[in-house]
Amino acid sequence: MLPSINEIVMSSSRRLFFALSLPDALQQPVIRWRAEAFQPEHGRPVAAANLHLTLAFLGDVSAQKEAALTQLAGRIRQPGFSITLDDLGHWPRPGVVWLGCKRAPRGLLQLADMLRSQAARSGCFQSPLPFHPHITLLRAATRPIALPPSTPGWVMPATQFSLYQSVFEHGRTRYQPLAHWPLK
């Protein structure tokens, strides 16, 4: 039996997004703090290796569109910046507890805007909601949660951004970096 056109299209596309990864030096402090601040029943912790700040979600992208977006991303010239992770929130409907910043640096907003604009022009749907920079800490957090009154206020340096593929295997999702571009 021949595969359907949907099967052919889906097999040649990948689920992609542009993001800033949480630096290795911050992963363990964030993981320890999360374990102290939240109980297991509050939600499912995101794996340390998957902690990131999404700049632009692309969705299922063909190889041709991926190549065009990769080329456009490579043209971005922007200095690095730092993000102070000093905000915490809970979105009950999607079941997400997040760590973010009260005041997003201009460099972060510019980078996200450039990537989201390029993605939209390339046919990747972009949410009409304003960009809200955050790192997802917990998923499946649909019940009310008492959030800690403050966060440690880590400073996250942004020296590069990356293109990631979301891969679902053996009942788990992992984010695989495909390409990196420096911010300098």
Side-chain angles (χ1 to χ4, degrees):
M1 174 182 231
L2 294 173
S4 72
I5 189 68
N6 286 341
E7 291 170 324
I8 293 169
V9 170
M10 290 304 290
S11 69
S12 64
S13 67
R14 303 199 282 185
R15 193 167 181 82
L16 304 177
F17 60 94
F18 287 109
L20 300 173
S21 60
L22 186 66
D24 292 342
L26 286 179
Q27 279 185 1
Q28 288 311 307
V30 168
I31 296 298
R32 277 193 301 275
W33 176 80
R34 178 181 65 188
E36 293 167 4
F38 298 98
Q39 300 300 313
E41 64 272 10
H42 287 154
R44 190 177 69 250
V46 173
N50 283 353
L51 294 173
H52 70 278
L53 190 152
T54 300
L55 297 165
F57 179 71
L58 305 174
D60 290 320
V61 175
S62 69
Q64 182 180 6
K65 193 179 291 187
E66 178 184 341
L69 287 164
T70 300
Q71 186 176 31
L72 290 169
R75 293 183 187 154
I76 292 175
R77 300 290 177 258
Q78 183 173 322
F81 49 86
S82 293
I83 305 162
T84 301
L85 299 172
D86 59 357
D87 198 14
L88 187 64
H90 177 219
W91 294 323
R93 181 164 284 178
V96 169
V97 172
W98 53 266
L99 177 64
C101 54
K102 291 178 183 170
R103 297 180 64 103
R106 183 162 53 176
L108 171 60
L109 298 175
Q110 289 172 334
L111 180 60
D113 185 56
M114 283 187 279
L115 290 167
R116 289 171 60 140
S117 294
Q118 289 176 355
R121 283 192 299 274
S122 297
C124 298
F125 172 80
Q126 296 300 294
S127 171
L129 298 173
F131 175 63
H132 187 273
H134 68 280
I135 297 168
T136 300
L137 298 176
L138 299 173
R139 294 197 180 278
T142 54
R143 294 187 179 142
I145 296 172
L147 296 174
S150 64
T151 65
W154 294 286
V155 175
M156 177 180 153
T159 58
Q160 71 176 10
F161 69 99
S162 303
L163 177 65
Y164 284 87
Q165 178 183 4
S166 178
V167 179
F168 186 75
E169 294 177 320
H170 310 295
R172 296 187 177 212
T173 299
R174 67 179 170 84
Y175 302 136
Q176 176 182 352
L178 302 175
H180 307 284
W181 296 272
L183 296 170
K184 51 183 173 178

